[in-house]
Amino acid sequence: MNALSDNRLAKEKLVAAIGEEVKDTGIVVVTQQLGLNAEETRTLRVNLRKENVGFKVSKNTLVKHAIKGTKLAGLDALLRGPTALAYSKDP
């Protein structure tokens, strides 16, 4: 396999993983990923995880592919600039 094929395969796996994580969510919040340094982002993730809330920072294009054809497809219009998703099965 060449590097391009490996890269595409990795992206396809990432899209599938994102789709799997958010498919049964009860609530999704799209946030602007600005203003937090690495330590603050880590603290946010830890605190969200304690409350059973996932937090995903990913390329908007990959998220759009992951939610295409799902109940979350309407979120694609919000995926502009540096964004992150916070999601939970329990609203």
Side-chain angles (χ1 to χ4, degrees), residues 6 8 11-12 15 20 24 26 32 37 41 43-44 48 51 59 80-81 83 85 91:
D6 290 342
R8 182 173 177 98
K11 286 181 180 180
E12 288 173 357
V15 166
E20 189 64 30
D24 295 324
Q32 291 295 309
N37 63 35
T41 300
T43 301
L44 175 62
L48 289 172
E51 300 297 327
K59 290 186 175 272
R80 304 276 185 266
T83 57
L85 300 179

Side-chain angles (χ1 to χ4, degrees), residues 6 11 15-16 21-22 29 33 40 43 50 54-56 58 61 63 76-79 82 85 88-89 91:
D6 290 342
K11 286 181 180 180
V15 166
E21 285 182 46
V22 300
V29 177
Q33 183 59 15
E40 291 167 332
T43 301
K50 288 178 185 175
F55 188 76
K56 177 65 80 181
S58 187
T61 304
V63 175
D76 66 346
L78 301 174
L79 299 172
L85 300 179
S88 175
K89 292 184 193 265

Side-chain angles (χ1 to χ4, degrees), residues 4-34:
L4 183 59
S5 296
D6 290 342
N7 187 34
R8 182 173 177 98
L9 182 60
K11 286 181 180 180
E12 288 173 357
K13 286 181 179 180
L14 185 55
V15 166
I18 293 168
E20 189 64 30
E21 285 182 46
V22 300
K23 74 175 185 176
D24 295 324
T25 60
I27 187 168
V28 175
V29 177
V30 179
T31 67
Q32 291 295 309
Q33 183 59 15
L34 296 170

Side-chain angles (χ1 to χ4, degrees), residues 46-55 87-90:
V46 168
N47 290 332
L48 289 172
R49 197 173 305 121
K50 288 178 185 175
E51 300 297 327
N52 295 316
V53 175
F55 188 76
Y87 52 91
S88 175
K89 292 184 193 265
D90 183 19

